[in-house]
Every structure is written in C-alpha cells, then in structure tokens.
Amino acid sequence: MPLSRRIRNFLENTRKKKVDKEDEDGGSESNAAIKEQERLRKKVTNLIKKQKLPAVRQIVKGQDNTKPWVQDAKAKVGCHLIELLMRTAYIQPPADQLADTPPDIRPAFLHSFKTVVKENKKTGRRYGVIECDPLVRKGLERTARHMVIPYMPMLVPPVKWTGYDRGAYLFLPSYIMRTHGAKQQREAVKRTPTNQLEQVFEALDTLGYTKWRINKRVLNVVDRIWTSGGRLADMVDRNDVPFPEKPDTEDEALLRKWKWKVRSVKKENRERHSQRCDIELKLAVARRMKDEEGFYYPHNLDFRGRAYPMHPYLNHLGSDLCRGVLEFAEGRPLGRSGLNWLKIHLANLFAGGVDKLSLEGRLAFTENHLDDIFDSADRPLEGKRWWLKAEDPFQCLAVCIDLTEALRSSSPETFVSHMPVHQDGSCNGLQHYAALGRDKLGAAAVNLVAGEKPADVYSGIAGRVLDIMRIDAQKDPTVFPDALLAKILVNQVDRKLVKQTVMTSVYGVTYIGARDQIKRRLKERGVITDERELFVASCYAAKTTLTALGEMFQAARAIMSWLGECAKIIASENQPVSWTTPLRLPVVQPYRALGRHLIKTSLQVLTLQRETEKIMVKRQRTAFPPNFVHSLDGSHMMMTAIACKKAGLTFAGVHDSYWTHASDVDKMNKILREKFVELYEKPILENLLESFQQSFPALSFPPLPERGDFDLRDVLDSPYFFN
C-alpha cells in the first residue's frame, strides 16, 4: 500500500480510538494503550512536518494491520475499473463538424475478442482485448512526452538500503530484488539477516549515489535529428513504410506475393512504432531533467545479483542515445593520464577494429583524426559528420565535444571533464570461466595475461575453425561428404561469422542455437542461395565452431558440464537449484511449471498463469551455468564499486563495463584487477559443492572438474583484461 494511504489510515485509526474511549466509559482498551497511540500520533505528525519520511514509514508500517489483496481480488477490481472507464470515456466531436449534423460521439475504448494465430501455426487462441479508438491512439502518440513516469531519476540521493523493501525511493514502493512473482526467491531474501547483506546494500548505495546530469549539447543534436524525421545515428524513421498497391489481377501467385509484402510492411511499421515510442519516452525524461543540476538512479538487483537502475528509460544501461546524453554531474581535471584515456575512449567508441589495436595504436588513431573531431564538435550536422561513422555515434559525439574543449583550453590537463570513461571486459563470461578453471590457454585467449595488444578471442576461434575446414576440404568427398561444404565455407570464415556463437557459448548455447546464428550470418552474405544447402552448410559450420570452442576452452566446457549435471541431479528431486553468491546473497532459480488459474470478472473470464510446485528440470539444468556466472560477474562489479567509493572515485557499472572519470581510470583499473583476484582466490566451486552436499546429503554429486595451473596474479599485470 502507498505510504500516503498508510499514514492516513494510521492517523484516522488513532483518532477514532481516542474518540471511542471518550464516548465509552470503562472500555476494554487500557489508558496506557490509548496514551501510547496518542504519543505515536503526535510523533508521526511532527516527523511529517520535518519531512523525515523513513522514520514515518517505520512507525506506520508496524501499526498497519491491513492485509494485502489476493490476486483474484486485484483482477476483479482492475476489470471493474476498466469497465467504468469504457462506460464514461468518449471521443469528443471534431472541431470542424457541422452544427446541423448529429454529433459523432463514440466510445474511446472498446472490449472485444480476437483470435490470434502465431506464425507457422494453423490454430489460434482467443483473447479478450481492449482497443482504443484511432483518434485516441494518434493523440497518445503526440502527447507521449507528457506521460506520467513514476520511477523517475531522483533529485536527492536515494534512501540507503536496509532491508528487502527499505531503501531507494522516498515514497514509491521499492524492493531490493526483482523477483517477478517467484515466491521462493522473495522469501529467501526476506529471511536473510540484514548484516549478511551489508556488502550488497553498500554496493547498491554506491551505484545509487553517483550523480548524473544531461549533456545539453548532445541532447540538442538528438532533438534536431528527431525533429527532422530521424534516420541518422541509428534513430528510427519517424514515417511508416508505405503499403504496396494491390495488383489489378486475378493471378493467385501475384496476389500471394502482394499479401506477403503487406504483412512484411505491417511488421516493419509495428517495429518502427515501438521504437518511436521508446525514443519519445527517453527524450521526455531527458528534456525534463536537462535543467537540473544533477540527479540519481536508485539501483536494485535481478535474482542473480546483477545490479540495474530502477528507472527504466533513460539510464546508462540503455542505448547509445541514452549514454550519449548522460554525463557525470561532478567534473574532475583530466591530468596527463586522463587526457590520454579520453583519446583512447574515443577510439573505443569509434570501434570498427580500432578498439582491437594496442592502447598506443588507439591514441595514434585519435590524434590522426583531430580535424574530424573538431569538425564533429563544431558542426555536428552541417560539417563532414565524421562522428556518424562510429559504432556508438552519440557517445562518440559527446567525447568529440569534450576533447575539443579540452585541447582548445589554455591547459588541457587542468580542463574539468564530466565524461564517463568505460573499461570493458573482453568476453567477460569466458574470463570468469578461465579464472574458475585456472585455465592457461583460455586465460591467454581472453586477456587474463599480459600481451602487446589485446587478444581477440573471436578471431582466435575463427582461425581455428578455418584450420579445421582447410583440412576437411582436402578430404575425399565420397568418404567425407562435409569436404564439399568445407570448400564452400573456407572463404566465408571470419570473426563476424563466429562472434555470436562464441559470445553465447558461456550462456550454454546449444548446437541448434549455434546453427541458427551462423545461418543468419551466411544468409546476410547471399553466397549460398539454396535454402537446403544453406541449412546443411550452417549445420557443418556450427559443429566446427563448437569443436573449436571445446578445444580452446576445455576447462570452461568441463565446468559448464559439471554445473549442468549438478543442477539436473537437484532438479530431478523436484527441488530448485539455489546457492549463495560470494557477497552472501541467496539465489534461487525460479523455473517452475506454470499452471492456469481462471478468474470470473465483470468483463470476461481471465486466465492467469500461476507457479506450480513442479520444477522444470531441463530449464533448471540449462540455465544454471550462465546464471551462476552472472552471479559472479555481479559480485565482481559490486566489490569494485565498494572499493572505488572508499578510494574516492565516482563509479558506475554496466555488468562487465566499469565507468569512472578519465583522470581516475588508472586507479579504477588497479582496483578492478585486485578485486577479480580477491574474488577467485576464494574456493568458489568447492563452496558450491559443499553447499549442495549439505542441502541434499542423500544425493551423490560428480567430483569437481580438474583445474589448471594458471596464476591468478597474472591478471594484475594484464593491461587488456579490462580495456
């Protein structure tokens, strides 16, 4: 229940008890209880006057006996409110309507039933839908910027976290974990003693206390592009795709082709509409916050322990547009190292292979393009538009502006910069697996050891795939049919072909998933046009890529298999897989079979999904390896956040991308490496196995996979571990 309602109920109840006591002599309630209620009432009133809302919340929550509504009651009340809206909301007649004609007044919203047929399926399902009149929809599109967004960035620092539902926003309900209705996970966090979660609280508070502001110059460029129709810097076209004209023919083949084109255009326009709404919401928040001195993003966790801003639209986890218009509210002088890091950051954002050069190579790239950088800053839309060639154009533009101002100042090293500079892990999931398995070969492939330039794991896998295919291409096709496929594909193997499969390998990508990923890449190139041949070639390429991955990351595959096998053993007993992260946060996998629950309302019969007691064994098994690694990367980020705060650094984090001021990048780099080593010096897999054995003493678990002899402390001297 909202705090304001709880306060009102508390004040009314305490006033009522006082009146009842005065009216009834010899009532059952003691004078002491009445006096205590009166004392609390005065205390709450005084605290409200002093705006000490956390203290008010604590008192009224303890006095609130209101029971939460059950799901059925919420559904019935919600449907009745929708029904009242439909009865009372009408479209006003157009302004140009003639006075002598009946007014065209019609309902703004209608309830109806529709049968929805999914692609590649013959039968459909019948759904109740609420449709708004086209005029209402047009009006909403024009006024999207005026929508009420409840969880806005805060203008004051968030309330510090002290419990499951105590922290973050002053008035809005705030929960430390997004459990999405998973009761067992919610109860596990609620039961956890507060002192056990102190590090998690501190990390979330650190992230929430980072102060941001809007980069007005970049926002101005975004607004100009959007006003002129979008279509630049990855912004969607503001206009719909026109529908093809219906051919004047009775030829069934031509009509089928036309219908297919119409469906394709409808799909494209739906996607454009969705993207336009998304941009409007982001810009609405940016415009509302642009004149503020600064603002804050309260953070909470997903069930694995990864941190996210609670405001959903304009935040630093978002798109290039979001990141481009955000900067730190606090500025810091660049210093010599900061000026270099700002130049390196620009090269990283430009990407296109530049981000794979050595740090010196990236510095040289930026210095060789200073004229383009100055032109981008001075005339972003009228000039050469060099910044639009970047992989992250709006962020690139922001750095162009910052770097231009610094270099034109009388002393670039004393120039105060507000720009967040990123340091990103290289294929971070595999970095965690290499550390878990002490895998020397894997560690070298993902930059856990020092090198003259960054190792590119995607190019490494592509090279191994190419070697295998060249050998296969020499074989006799009558004995080895894949030899023909190898000859076709040998000129198609590159970094891009295998990148998605390598990236998702740590998330347990299957052979079918890898096949579909590679098929999409091959289809884009148009070298193989026959659909069957494309499918067979994709099968062979996927099999070869997974073989190369298995060779290069044997330890990672062994750990994934071990984690999956443990999960299968536990889930087969109809129990969810649960563990405690290195920061002592309890995690319970939520995957259970969903049952149907019917509720009869005034509108229609609603079918709601509800968790059952049946565990989804396969889902528990396949999800456990990636979820476990995500809980580890979340722990590393939070450990780094706490240490950066203690060192006096401004810190923001996006899972495996850590941000600070340019002048502080060297300090942050030292801290994040130390925290990674500290994390993996703990016996993580041993502790996990021990917790499984304690929770399920009757079950037999496989032995831990063998580990290599990689020295974790090599990470401390690796310049490209995060870069």
Side-chain angles (χ1 to χ4, degrees), residues 284-300:
V285 178
R287 289 168 187 141
R288 201 180 300 181
M289 307 306 292
K290 72 175 181 180
D291 295 321
E292 300 294 344
E293 178 197 347
F295 48 87
Y296 304 86
Y297 288 111
H299 281 61
N300 65 359

Side-chain angles (χ1 to χ4, degrees), residues 6 13 46 160 229 231 304 347 377 419 546 579 616 647 650 694:
R6 274 186 170 150
N13 289 340
N46 289 331
K160 288 189 174 183
R231 300 184 301 279
R304 302 163 300 186
M419 193 58 49
L546 292 174
W579 68 98
M616 298 167 72
T650 299
Q694 287 177 355

Side-chain angles (χ1 to χ4, degrees), residues 344 346-363 365 391-392 424-427 445 447 451-460 495-496 499 503 720 723:
I344 291 167
L346 190 144
N348 288 340
L349 293 169
F350 194 86
V354 178
D355 51 330
K356 303 297 178 288
L357 300 173
S358 65
L359 295 177
E360 293 76 16
R362 291 177 232 181
L363 269 172
F365 169 84
E391 204 166 284
D392 294 307
D424 299 350
S426 53
C427 209
N447 295 302
E452 290 183 9
K453 64 177 185 177
D456 182 15
V457 64
Y458 309 117
S459 297
R495 185 179 186 275
K496 190 175 180 182
K499 182 176 179 180
M503 281 176 67
Y720 300 111
N723 73 97

Side-chain angles (χ1 to χ4, degrees), residues 9-144:
N9 284 356
F10 172 77
L11 294 175
E12 284 181 357
N13 289 340
T14 50
R15 186 187 295 116
K16 185 173 183 292
K17 284 180 181 177
K18 184 182 176 185
V19 171
D20 290 348
K21 184 63 184 171
E22 288 172 353
D23 290 347
E24 298 175 19
D25 290 332
S28 60
E29 195 165 359
S30 67
N31 284 331
I34 294 274
K35 286 178 181 176
E36 175 61 16
Q37 289 287 336
E38 182 62 22
R39 185 187 70 79
L40 284 174
R41 191 170 186 280
K42 286 180 180 176
K43 187 175 181 180
V44 166
T45 306
N46 289 331
L47 287 170
I48 290 171
K49 288 176 183 175
K50 294 175 183 176
Q51 296 187 337
K52 294 188 176 180
L53 291 168
V56 172
R57 182 188 285 112
Q58 204 65 29
I59 294 171
V60 298
K61 192 176 177 184
Q63 299 290 316
D64 184 18
N65 296 320
T66 312
K67 290 183 179 178
W69 287 6
V70 295
Q71 194 179 40
D72 289 36
K74 290 177 184 176
K76 288 177 180 178
V77 171
C79 284
H80 188 61
L81 290 172
I82 291 171
E83 203 172 20
L84 290 173
L85 176 67
M86 289 192 297
R87 283 186 206 161
T88 54
Y90 287 86
I91 299 293
Q92 291 183 345
D96 59 352
Q97 188 170 298
L98 297 174
D100 56 350
T101 59
D104 180 21
I105 299 176
R106 55 186 186 269
F109 303 95
L110 288 172
H111 175 254
S112 62
F113 290 92
K114 282 192 174 180
T115 301
V116 179
V117 181
K118 291 186 178 179
E119 283 186 46
N120 304 322
K121 290 200 175 180
K122 293 180 180 178
T123 57
R125 292 187 65 180
R126 200 159 174 258
Y127 294 93
V129 294
I130 307 292
E131 291 185 283
C132 64
D133 188 277
L135 282 175
V136 176
R137 193 165 64 247
K138 282 184 181 177
L140 288 172
E141 284 179 7
R142 286 196 302 271
T143 58

Side-chain angles (χ1 to χ4, degrees), residues 293-335:
E293 178 197 347
F295 48 87
Y296 304 86
Y297 288 111
H299 281 61
N300 65 359
L301 306 167
D302 69 6
F303 79 92
R304 302 163 300 186
R306 276 184 149 191
Y308 295 83
M310 294 173 72
H311 169 74
Y313 302 118
L314 185 80
N315 64 56
H316 55 290
L317 264 76
S319 63
D320 171 58
L321 186 154
C322 296
R323 296 179 179 195
V325 300
L326 288 172
E327 62 183 11
F328 291 140
E330 179 198 349
R332 295 196 178 183
L334 282 173

